[in-house]
Amino acid sequence: MEQRNFTEEHQMFREAFRLFLEREVVPHQAAWREQGMVSRDLWLKAGEQGYLLPWADEAYGGLGVSDFRYTQIQIEELMRIGETGFYLPLHSALVAPYIGNNGSEEQKQRLLPPCIRGESILAVAMTEPGAGSDLAGMKATAERRGDDWVLNGAKTFISNGQLADIVVVAAKTNPQKPREIGLFLVERGMAGFARGRHLKKLGMHSQDTSELFFDNVVVPAANVLGDPAKGFHYLMAGLAEERLIAAATNVASCQAAFDWTMDYIQERQLFGRRLGAMQNTRFKMAEMRTEIDIAQVYVDHCVTLLNDGRLTGDAAAKIKLFSSELQARVVDECLQFFGGYGYMDEYPISRAYADARITRIFGGTSEVMKEIIARSIGLTEQAG
């Protein structure tokens, strides 16, 4: 594939971040998978190096660099080593912007600096036991009492759930209007805020995923993000970038699986021949190379659109849908080439296979993506 749209500065950033991962992450990956989460020290080290919230203004301790390509590089390098537990993009590019875009100046001054330093880890709590992609179906409520709000409800499948120091919690603020939702900043130690089970999952074993419970949690007005009736709008505004993050991750995962497989088939001998010399292998690899390149071009195009402020929800839905479905095919095809070894957990392709299953579900299921795309071309249930 032709040279991608990265400058010399981007390449220098990639090299530095790759070295950081080789030094601070790779030696600990097995231990983190066993314990179900990465070390808090890793977040502090990432903060020291300026790898968290690079878009944040220098006044808060950030770099003031809003170019999404730096996040894209981080995603690609994390996937290159098969690390799905250090959920840096969630913290920096998905949750923190809710504060940066909708928070008051006081909130930004108080909350962003520790997030940039890695002292405060972020999570967002939308999904509930009975409400996933359908945000209007959530049951969590926030009731105004004087200057404060009282939050009640339960959330599940929350990434960074155990480590999080600040959780952006979505809750209904008007029982008569299901789309009137507020975003509330719940901090570690608030009375009534409890963490439930550290959930065991099919994949992503080093990424902590948890249940969260809110029992009459008093949230002061200083911890309400923007208008408590417009949280649904705030969430929708961030979904295009969230889905691009997912797509960039999916394609990077495809590339990593392809690279691991290339190395393996060049060495593996079968019936006196290299596996990579057999026609079926060569044709399958050629097909995957073509599809990954096509997906990468569209991801890079969407990154350009995002940087220009022109990324639409339907464009993000298209690449999220295509890349997650492609990832499923690629990791499956690649694992097949490894034979029995591909089924062994010690091989990264085995872990990538398990990790990939969630990408057609989170950030909006493939079926939801198809609905968004269908509506964007004028097709609805009433179309006739």
Side-chain angles (χ1 to χ4, degrees), residues 240-251 291-303 305 311-327 359 366 369 373:
E241 184 167 350
E242 177 183 353
R243 287 164 181 163
L244 179 56
I245 291 169
T249 304
N250 299 342
V251 177
E291 290 189 292
I292 295 169
D293 282 353
I294 290 169
Q296 187 67 73
V297 169
Y298 193 46
V299 165
D300 292 348
H301 172 65
C302 287
V303 169
L305 292 177
L311 180 64
T312 61
D314 59 295
K318 290 172 187 173
I319 190 55
K320 200 275 181 182
L321 170 66
F322 182 80
S323 64
S324 60
E325 298 289 337
L326 173 64
Q327 181 187 19
T359 66
S366 290
M369 297 303 99
I373 297 163

Side-chain angles (χ1 to χ4, degrees), residues 253 257 260 327 331 347-357:
S253 175
W260 300 329
Q327 181 187 19
V331 295
Y347 279 73
I349 191 63
S350 172
R351 299 191 295 271
Y353 182 87
D355 291 346
R357 188 57 188 90

Side-chain angles (χ1 to χ4, degrees), residues 44 131 149 157 207 220 238 245 270 280 337 349 357:
L44 293 171
W149 292 79
F157 309 145
Q207 184 250 93
I245 291 169
L270 193 64
N280 179 69
F337 285 125
I349 191 63
R357 188 57 188 90

